[in-house]
């Protein structure tokens, strides 16, 4: 009997979420999306979503006259209340660089995370990877590689190490100077605002700055 109770409770815990739980999760997700849109200066709801919901409401209203009136009243009340709650947490006035700078200077911005790639070193003279004609993979054609990415694979390196060492010599630290972007990241660190700087670059210009 005890074993049967345990199995029964196990089956209960393995049951799929109820429709109410799913609706709550969807509602929370929609609210989070709306907050993100407001933060970036966008309408709380996408126009296509609003039109789709309006069309659904009209279709349901044709069959249920009373339901239409109640549904519209409740929907409008909830929408207005949600907008009022969201508006006060708007972070940026718009999505421009100036708006980001203003927010940083406001003193409310803490623990900034910066994620960078090859693009921030292009102005230092280091090519990115895939730009046609000037990218790193295009310039590697002179090494007669079977394919450009081979220079970074251990299997090809063990058989033909020369291309990698020639490339490494060109990119060796000391041949290039940091860009304004590198110095901006350093400034964030000096001001105590930088939490992490994640980069895929191996030019060490962040450290040099």
């Amino acid at each position: 009997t005890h074993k049967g109770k345990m199995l029964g409770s196990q089956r209960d815990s393995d049951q799929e979420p109820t429709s109410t739980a799913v609706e709550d999760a969807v509602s929370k997700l929609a609210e989070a999306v709306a907050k993100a849109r407001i933060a970036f200066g966008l309408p709380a709801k996408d126009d296509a979503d609003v039109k789709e919901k309006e069309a659904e409401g009209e279709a349901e209203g044709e069959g249920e006259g009373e339901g239409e009136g109640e549904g519209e009243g409740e929907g409008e009340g909830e929408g207005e209340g949600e907008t009022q709650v969201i508006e006060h947490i708007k972070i940026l006035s718009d999505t421009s660089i100036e708006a980001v700078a203003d927010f940083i200077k406001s003193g409310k911005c803490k623990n900034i995370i910066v994620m960078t790639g090859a693009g921030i070193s292009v102005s230092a003279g280091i090519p990115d990877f895939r730009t046609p004609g000037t990218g790193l993979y295009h310039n590697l054609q002179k090494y007669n590689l079977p394919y450009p990415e081979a220079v970074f694979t251990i299997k090809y390196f063990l058989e033909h190490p020369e291309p990698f060492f020639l490339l490494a010599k060109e990119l060796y630290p000391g041949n290039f100077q940091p860009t304004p972007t590198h110095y901006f990241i350093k400034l964030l660190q000096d001001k105590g605002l930088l939490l992490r700087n994640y980069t895929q670059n191996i030019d060490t210009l962040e450290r040099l700055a």
Side-chain angles (χ1 to χ4, degrees):
T1 303
H2 179 67
K3 183 177 180 180
K5 291 181 178 179
M6 292 179 61
L7 292 174
S9 62
Q10 178 65 32
R11 283 195 297 269
D12 292 340
S13 63
D14 292 340
Q15 288 181 352
E16 296 182 357
T18 63
S19 59
T20 303
V22 173
E23 291 174 359
D24 291 343
V26 172
S27 176
K28 291 179 180 179
L29 178 60
E31 182 178 352
V33 171
K35 290 179 179 179
R37 292 177 62 87
I38 288 293
F40 284 96
L42 301 173
K45 295 182 180 180
D46 186 72
D47 291 341
D49 293 339
V50 173
K51 291 179 180 178
E52 182 179 347
K53 290 183 179 180
E54 289 177 351
E56 291 177 356
E58 291 176 359
E60 292 178 357
E62 291 178 358
E64 301 178 4
E66 295 181 359
E68 180 182 347
E70 295 176 359
E72 289 179 355
E74 293 176 359
E76 291 174 359
E78 292 176 0
E80 293 174 359
E82 181 178 299
T83 302
Q84 291 174 0
V85 172
I86 293 172
E87 283 179 351
H88 81 279
I89 66 166
K90 184 175 180 180
I91 297 174
L92 302 177
S93 57
D94 56 66
T95 56
S96 66
I97 295 295
E98 290 77 13
V100 175
D102 289 341
F103 178 55
I104 294 176
K105 292 187 295 184
S106 70
K108 300 177 182 178
C109 187
K110 307 290 184 181
N111 299 325
I112 297 175
I113 296 176
V114 178
M115 295 182 289
T116 55
I120 70 169
S121 297
V122 170
S123 61
I126 301 175
D128 62 7
F129 285 90
R130 303 183 185 278
T131 299
T134 61
L136 183 62
Y137 287 149
H138 175 84
N139 296 335
L140 289 175
Q141 293 178 3
K142 59 186 177 183
Y143 298 129
N144 297 320
L145 300 170
Y147 53 95
E149 295 85 350
V151 71
F152 297 119
T153 64
I154 188 63
K155 181 178 180 180
Y156 186 83
F157 174 79
L158 293 175
E159 298 176 357
H160 306 282
E162 297 85 1
F164 176 81
F165 285 121
L166 290 172
L167 175 64
K169 184 178 180 180
E170 293 182 7
L171 301 179
Y172 193 78
N175 294 336
F176 305 94
Q177 296 300 316
T179 69
T181 302
H182 294 101
Y183 286 116
F184 170 70
I185 298 172
K186 179 61 165 58
L187 180 63
L188 292 178
Q189 180 181 0
D190 293 343
K191 297 294 184 179
L193 299 175
L194 183 66
L195 177 63
R196 293 286 186 277
N197 176 27
Y198 295 104
T199 181
Q200 64 177 9
N201 299 341
I202 58 173
D203 52 38
T204 70
L205 293 184
E206 293 88 356
R207 187 175 299 175
L208 185 60

